[in-house]
Amino acid sequence: MASYINKQVIELNKVTEENRNRATRSVKTDTHLSGPEDSGRRLYRMVAVSFGMLCVLQVTLNISLRLVYNRGMGDKTNVTAEKDQLQTSCNTLAKEKGQLQTSYNTLAKEKGQLQTSYNTLVEEKIQLQTSYNTLAKEKGQLQTSYNTLVEEKIQLQTSYNTLVEEKIQLQTSYNTLAKEKGQLQTSYNTLVEEKIQLQTSYNTLAKEKGQLQTSYNTLVKEKDQLQTSYNTLTEERDQQKRENNDLMAKFSNLKQTCPKGWQKFGSSWYFISTETKTWRESSQDCLERGAGLVIINSDKEQEFLFGLNKRAWIGLTDSVTEGTWKWVDGTPLTTPSYWYPQQPDNGGDNPANGEEDCVELNTETRLPVKAWNDQSCLDNRHWICEKVV
C-alpha cells in the first residue's frame, strides 16, 4: 500500500513538474510571439490548468489518506512518513501556487504595459501607414518627374550633340577667321604706315591751305569792293540809258505823226475800230497792226479812252485762270481797277450768260472810273488797239 502511494506521489510530482515547465514555456512563447490580448488569455488558461491540477492532487491525497485509514492504521511510521511527504508536496504546491500567483500578478502588470505598448505601436503603425501612403504618393510624383527629366535629358542630349556639331563648324570658321585676321593685321599695319605718310602730307597741305585761305580772303574782300564799284557804275549807266531812251522817245514822238485812223495820247497811239468782233479776233487785228489791245495804266488814260464814247474790248482777261486777271502782255492787274459796281460777276453764275472772261470798256455808264465790265469773249464789240511810240 505504501509503495503504491509512493508511486502515485512520484507520478503526481512528475506530472506537476512537467505541467509547470510546459506552462512556463507556453507563457514565454506566448509572451514573445502573441499580442497582449492573446498573452492574457493564455495566462488565464495556464492559471486555470494549474488550479485544476492542484484540485486533482488534493483529491488524490484525500483518496490515499482514506485508503490508508480504512485498511487499519498499518505501519504508522510509514504512514507518517508518507503523510509528511504528502504534506511536503502540499506545501510545495502551495508555495508554487504563491509563486504562480506572483507570476500571474507580474504577468498581469506586464500585460498592461504590453497593452499600452501595443496601443502605442498601433498608433505608430497608423502614422507609419499614413507616412507610407504619403511617401507612396510622393514616389509616384517623383517617378513622373523622373520620367519627365529622362525625356528632357534625351532632348538635352540631342541639343548637346547639335551644339557639338555647331561648335566644330564654328571652330573651323574661327580658324579661317584667325587666318584672315592675320592677313588683315598685315594690311592694317601697311595702312597705318600709309596713314602716317598721308598725315604728314595732310599737315603740309593744311599749312598751305591756311596760306591760300588768307590769300582767298584778301581776294574776296577786293572782289567785294570791285563788285560794289561795278554795281554803282552799272546803276549809273542804266540810269543814264533810261534818261537817254526817254529823251529819244520824246524826240521821236515829237517828230512822228499819227497814222490815219489813229489818235495820239501821251506816248501812245490808239486805234478805235469801226466794226465789231469777238475779243480774240479783236486782239488778232491789233497784232496785225503792230499793236495790242489797250493796256490801261493811269486814271488819265482811262478818262481819255472813256471820252472816245465806244463800248469796246480792252486787253484784260482771266481766261487762263478764273479770277486771276492779266493784261495781254502777261502782266497781272496791279494798277487801280475801274470796275462797274458788283463787277466782275462772271455772268452772275447764269448759264445763259456763259463764261465772262474778257473785259469791255462800257461808256454807257456815267463815271469813267466805274466803266469796266466782264463779258463773254464770244460777244462782238468794238475794240481799241494801243501802240507805244
Side-chain angles (χ1 to χ4, degrees), residues 29-62:
T29 302
D30 293 341
T31 302
H32 287 87
L33 299 177
S34 303
E37 295 180 357
D38 292 339
S39 298
R41 287 194 295 269
R42 292 179 182 276
L43 180 61
Y44 289 130
R45 190 161 51 248
M46 183 191 69
V47 172
V49 170
S50 298
F51 278 112
M53 291 173 60
L54 288 176
C55 292
V56 170
L57 183 59
Q58 185 68 40
V59 170
T60 305
L61 289 175
N62 291 334

Side-chain angles (χ1 to χ4, degrees), residues 9 13 57 61 84-94 96:
V9 170
N13 289 333
L57 183 59
L61 289 175
D84 291 336
Q85 290 177 356
L86 290 173
Q87 185 63 43
T88 299
S89 297
C90 183
N91 293 334
T92 300
L93 290 174
E96 290 176 354

Side-chain angles (χ1 to χ4, degrees), residues 10 42 54 83-84 90 102 132 142 159 173 184 199 234 240 271 289 293 314 318 328 332 366 369 374:
I10 291 170
R42 292 179 182 276
L54 288 176
K83 178 181 178 183
D84 291 336
C90 183
T102 301
Y132 172 78
L142 288 174
S159 300
S173 300
L184 290 174
Q199 185 67 43
T234 300
Q240 290 178 358
F271 172 79
R289 296 175 186 273
L293 284 175
I314 63 175
D318 69 344
V328 289
R366 295 183 179 181
V369 294
D374 61 333

Side-chain angles (χ1 to χ4, degrees), residues 14-121:
K14 289 181 179 180
V15 172
T16 301
E17 184 67 22
E18 184 178 354
N19 289 333
R20 184 172 59 190
N21 293 333
R22 187 183 295 113
T24 302
R25 288 194 302 270
S26 178
V27 169
K28 291 181 179 180
T29 302
D30 293 341
T31 302
H32 287 87
L33 299 177
S34 303
E37 295 180 357
D38 292 339
S39 298
R41 287 194 295 269
R42 292 179 182 276
L43 180 61
Y44 289 130
R45 190 161 51 248
M46 183 191 69
V47 172
V49 170
S50 298
F51 278 112
M53 291 173 60
L54 288 176
C55 292
V56 170
L57 183 59
Q58 185 68 40
V59 170
T60 305
L61 289 175
N62 291 334
I63 294 172
S64 298
L65 291 175
R66 185 174 294 276
L67 289 173
V68 171
Y69 179 76
N70 291 330
R71 288 176 177 252
M73 295 298 291
D75 190 2
K76 291 183 179 180
T77 301
N78 291 332
V79 171
T80 301
E82 292 174 0
K83 178 181 178 183
D84 291 336
Q85 290 177 356
L86 290 173
Q87 185 63 43
T88 299
S89 297
C90 183
N91 293 334
T92 300
L93 290 174
K95 184 178 180 180
E96 290 176 354
K97 174 184 175 184
Q99 292 174 352
L100 288 172
Q101 183 65 42
T102 301
S103 297
Y104 172 77
N105 294 333
T106 301
L107 290 173
K109 184 177 181 181
E110 291 177 354
K111 174 195 172 186
Q113 295 174 352
L114 289 172
Q115 183 65 42
T116 302
S117 298
Y118 174 76
N119 294 335
T120 303
L121 290 173

